[in-house]
Amino acid sequence: MPRPSVTTYASGRTRPAGPKIDLCGMVALATCAFALIVDPILEYLTTGGQRPPNIMAPRMEPRIFWPAMAIIAVLLAARNRTRFSKLTWSPHLICLLVYLGFAGASVLWAFSPDRSFVRYTQQVMIITSIVLPAMMAAPTVDMMRGLFLCFTLCLVLNLLFVFGGNVTIATYGRALVDIGYQGYFDGKNYLGECAAPALLMALDEARHRGWRRALGIGVAALAMVLIFLSDSKTALGLAIISPVLTQITLMIRKLTRVSPAIILSCIPVAYILVSSVSHFNMDRIAYILYHDSTLTGRTLIWAFAQSEIDQRSLLGWGYQSFWLVPGSPSFEAPGWIKLMPNAHNGYYDTTLEMGHVGLTLLLVFIFLILHAIGRVADRDPARARLLLSLALFVICWNYFESLWMRGYEFLWVLFVFVAVDVARSCQPLLTRRAAYRPKRPRAGGFGVMTGVQTHRLRVRPS
């Protein structure tokens, strides 16, 4: 009789086969589909592809979707109490909850407590809708493959909008200039921001055989085309740097057994040391790469953000209670900076809103994820390469845009999925080979023993 299939890791550990998708997995992936596909398309149909006059104005669809998903996630946890009680919560997920809790505490001293509370409540529902069902999904459910299919559908739909000629128009002096295609998003950078992670996931998909390899190669080609059409230089650069840096990091990890978190921490430390004793800093790098030392005005925003951080350096101005809040110090910013919805840097915004305490919690959260990926590499090196490349892409992207715990930005949603998948990959697995023990033969229909014996798969948890 053929044996049931099992999932085998590089270390020799096995996990019994099971469903490829279940209700919990579908609920978790629905959050990505909404953030990546449904909500942007609805906004495009409402605004005609133009940036709305008030980008902070709430819309009805998220107000309905996220409470509904949070309720469903809680009901699934209540229904599957046994499965939920057996989960092992990794340190980085615990740190995420602490980081989220501190954001809620910052409502107490926020510049605008009512706005801060509303945005914080939405963030709680987003984290709940992703973490709870994704952690309770069956061990055989591949969440990253589900994300890959979501991003694939997103690229195909965006290609149709690109064929329709949907481009981003910028004003230079008195001239209107086409600076790149934006698809159904409200800016070209969003299209590049979407296509680059899809490229990384497609490269991982291409390592499989058969139709999965063909699909991976096709999606990788489509992602590259859209990156070039969007003219997003940052997305192209990080799509190249992230997998290269991942390969180097995991190679060093394999040779030295040093945590990837420590290996990667050496890069910013080295940059701080070099920039402190020389003129080789980010302004110089930006000028070499883009011939613009301000990074299209970002350094001017960061200078203003730093001046406001100095006024409340420990606890900040409150979670999302600074930019575009009536009466806040952001309206005292010089010139066009007062119109910015964020600091275009996730680390500046975290410090601005939650002080150095919040920044410390964020950095610890990131450090613990990178450390846990090292444990994943011991079990499944290919999965570790994918998770680390995606994590590095989001970590680096936050240097140019603000995404850490900001609503349901799809890269933030992707990073939460990465954190959950790392935790799922670190769950206890079967350490012994599946043993087949013959089942006691049953009596035949006429009171005699049949000569056919059945076998049952018996496993023991580690």
Side-chain angles (χ1 to χ4, degrees), residues 44-125:
Y44 177 88
L45 297 176
T46 303
T47 63
Q50 302 299 321
R51 187 178 293 270
N54 184 6
I55 61 176
M56 303 298 287
R59 297 172 52 242
M60 184 58 63
E61 296 86 358
R63 288 183 169 187
I64 297 174
F65 178 80
W66 292 112
M69 296 304 294
I71 292 173
I72 293 173
V74 173
L75 291 177
L76 284 175
R79 180 183 177 185
N80 300 276
R81 291 187 296 272
T82 302
R83 187 190 304 182
F84 180 78
S85 63
K86 293 181 179 180
L87 293 176
T88 301
W89 295 93
S90 300
H92 66 272
L93 285 185
I94 296 175
C95 187
L96 172 61
L97 298 180
V98 174
Y99 178 43
L100 182 66
F102 182 75
S106 70
V107 174
L108 300 176
W109 60 81
F111 183 85
S112 178
D114 54 342
R115 292 173 181 265
S116 181
F117 178 76
V118 170
R119 294 167 182 173
Y120 172 73
T121 303
Q122 184 192 57
Q123 190 60 223
V124 170
M125 292 186 291

Side-chain angles (χ1 to χ4, degrees), residues 46-275:
T46 303
T47 63
Q50 302 299 321
R51 187 178 293 270
N54 184 6
I55 61 176
M56 303 298 287
R59 297 172 52 242
M60 184 58 63
E61 296 86 358
R63 288 183 169 187
I64 297 174
F65 178 80
W66 292 112
M69 296 304 294
I71 292 173
I72 293 173
V74 173
L75 291 177
L76 284 175
R79 180 183 177 185
N80 300 276
R81 291 187 296 272
T82 302
R83 187 190 304 182
F84 180 78
S85 63
K86 293 181 179 180
L87 293 176
T88 301
W89 295 93
S90 300
H92 66 272
L93 285 185
I94 296 175
C95 187
L96 172 61
L97 298 180
V98 174
Y99 178 43
L100 182 66
F102 182 75
S106 70
V107 174
L108 300 176
W109 60 81
F111 183 85
S112 178
D114 54 342
R115 292 173 181 265
S116 181
F117 178 76
V118 170
R119 294 167 182 173
Y120 172 73
T121 303
Q122 184 192 57
Q123 190 60 223
V124 170
M125 292 186 291
I126 293 169
I127 298 297
T128 302
S129 303
I130 299 173
V131 174
L132 273 184
M135 286 296 293
M136 292 188 300
T140 51
V141 173
D142 192 344
M143 301 301 300
M144 302 311 297
R145 187 181 179 190
L147 288 179
F148 166 72
L149 296 177
C150 284
F151 274 81
T152 298
L153 178 59
C154 174
L155 294 188
V156 173
L157 293 175
N158 269 290
L159 185 63
L160 301 178
F161 282 85
V162 167
F163 286 151
N166 193 22
V167 298
T168 299
I169 303 297
T171 302
Y172 290 95
R174 296 182 178 179
L176 297 178
V177 181
D178 171 10
I179 60 175
Y181 288 90
Q182 65 186 55
Y184 58 65
F185 296 110
D186 61 1
K188 72 181 188 68
N189 286 335
Y190 277 106
L191 182 57
E193 180 182 332
C194 163
L199 173 62
L200 299 179
M201 287 185 279
L203 294 177
D204 176 76
E205 192 73 7
R207 68 184 176 84
H208 297 278
R209 296 180 179 180
W211 67 268
R212 292 187 64 179
R213 175 173 297 176
L215 179 62
I217 294 174
V219 173
L222 176 58
M224 286 297 298
V225 169
L226 291 178
I227 291 176
F228 280 106
L229 290 177
S230 69
D231 196 25
S232 179
K233 302 179 181 64
T234 303
L236 178 61
L238 294 182
I240 297 173
I241 293 173
S242 297
V244 173
L245 186 57
T246 293
Q247 192 66 33
I248 295 174
T249 301
L250 293 180
M251 187 180 302
I252 297 175
R253 153 76 179 179
K254 185 176 182 180
L255 294 175
T256 64
R257 308 303 301 171
V258 176
S259 169
I262 297 177
I263 297 171
L264 293 169
S265 297
C266 295
I267 298 176
V269 171
Y271 167 76
I272 293 173
L273 294 177
V274 171
S275 61

